[in-house]
Amino acid sequence: MKKMNRSFILLTLIFVLLCTIYPCLEARADVINVPKLSISQIFEYSGKEYQDNELVCSYELKGKNGNEPLPEGYSGSFGFTLKGTDNLELNILLGDEASKGKYDIRYTALGIYEYKLKQERGSGSGDVTRDYKLDTTEYTVRVYIINGDDGISFGCIEVVDGNGEKPSQVEFQNEYIGNKFNEPPSDKNKAPDATVKNPFGDGEKSIDGPLTGDEIALITILVLMGAALVGGIVVVIIKKKTASETIDSLKDKA
């Protein structure tokens, strides 16, 4: 009876383990099927992506139980920084596999290893608290190490964001909300430019700035012509008035 109970418990554990790890045995869009986790940050301004090469943001990868494997020299949590649009790659190593890069995480036993990944703070030019809205997403990262033909084998990496979605990559999106990029002032309150009508054709010509010699000559001619016209009208009126007075005088004498 004891052997049956032990066998039943063992089979149950194997069944649960297979049900948990099986999703990684097939290539799926909602998991990472390569032994590498890439972490990057991007910056947005008014909904458009732009490059900020100055801002430095700090991140933390922390094991769920505190004893999960981390890059060499770290225990409990792994802190790192990203500057500008740089990215960081964590390589998954198995057993005594040779190093693949600066940040390797080595696994020596099969299982499901869970971590929390989040952005902590930023520093750089300007007031980060005032000028930036930092991404507060906390990701859950699960690394599946399964039993392969020749020992332990990489299964997959599962990433889950705060909304329960499973992105294919870890990308923190920081939004710039400062006044580094000043919008041009609106033209609706701008006073209209002074213009002068062209008497010899359609259209208008702005008189912003100094007048040219031709423009001054044209204006002078127009002023003289206007003065001559007014003077001629005055002479005609005076002559008519004088003639009228002469006629009235002759009529009185008669």
Side-chain angles (χ1 to χ4, degrees):
M1 180 65 70
K2 290 183 178 180
K3 289 184 177 180
M4 290 183 61
N5 289 338
R6 290 178 181 176
S7 298
F8 177 76
I9 293 173
L10 181 60
L11 289 173
T12 301
L13 291 174
I14 293 174
F15 176 76
V16 171
L17 183 62
L18 288 175
C19 289
T20 305
I21 297 180
Y22 178 76
C24 290
L25 299 180
E26 298 180 351
R28 294 166 46 192
D30 58 349
V31 296
I32 300 172
N33 292 289
V34 294
K36 180 185 300 184
L37 177 64
S38 179
I39 304 169
S40 61
Q41 62 182 11
I42 65 172
F43 300 92
E44 292 184 346
Y45 172 70
S46 296
K48 297 181 180 179
E49 187 174 340
Y50 82 101
Q51 290 187 345
D52 188 322
N53 297 321
E54 297 298 326
L55 184 65
V56 178
C57 294
S58 300
Y59 297 88
E60 181 189 48
L61 180 70
K62 186 176 183 179
K64 179 180 179 181
N65 299 315
N67 58 356
E68 286 78 5
L70 289 168
E72 186 176 357
Y74 292 88
S75 177
S77 65
F78 167 55
F80 61 95
T81 60
L82 294 177
K83 182 178 180 180
T85 53
D86 292 342
N87 70 308
L88 179 140
E89 291 185 342
L90 295 172
N91 300 298
I92 306 302
L93 302 184
L94 302 175
D96 57 356
E97 185 178 0
S99 174
K100 295 180 180 179
K102 184 177 180 180
Y103 300 108
D104 297 329
I105 302 181
R106 191 177 301 277
Y107 297 88
T108 58
L110 60 84
I112 303 173
Y113 299 88
E114 184 172 318
Y115 305 84
K116 294 294 183 181
L117 174 61
K118 64 180 180 178
Q119 182 174 199
E120 292 190 309
R121 61 188 180 277
S123 63
S125 60
D127 188 331
V128 175
T129 304
R130 180 195 65 201
D131 295 339
Y132 288 89
K133 182 179 179 181
L134 300 182
D135 192 340
T136 58
T137 301
E138 182 174 272
Y139 291 93
T140 298
V141 179
R142 299 187 183 95
V143 179
Y144 292 78
I145 305 299
I146 63 177
N147 193 13
D149 295 335
D150 300 324
I152 60 174
S153 175
F154 169 74
C156 69
I157 300 174
E158 182 182 45
V159 178
V160 184
D161 65 17
N163 297 320
E165 302 293 332
K166 296 182 179 181
S168 59
Q169 60 182 346
V170 178
E171 187 177 67
F172 289 88
Q173 299 182 3
N174 299 313
E175 182 181 4
Y176 183 81
I177 55 176
N179 58 1
K180 178 178 179 181
F181 306 101
N182 290 321
E183 296 292 338
S186 174
D187 291 336
K188 64 181 181 179
N189 297 323
K190 182 180 178 181
D193 292 338
T195 56
V196 59
K197 294 287 185 179
N198 185 350
F200 301 109
D202 295 333
E204 299 178 345
K205 183 175 183 61
S206 172
I207 60 172
D208 282 347
L211 296 175
T212 64
D214 291 339
E215 291 173 335
I216 294 174
L218 178 60
I219 294 174
T220 302
I221 293 173
L222 292 175
V223 171
L224 292 176
M225 289 175 62
L229 179 60
V230 172
I233 294 173
V234 171
V235 170
V236 171
I237 293 174
I238 292 174
K239 287 183 176 181
K240 284 186 176 181
K241 184 177 181 181
T242 302
S244 176
E245 291 177 348
T246 303
I247 293 173
D248 292 340
S249 177
L250 292 174
K251 284 182 179 181
D252 293 340
K253 290 180 178 180

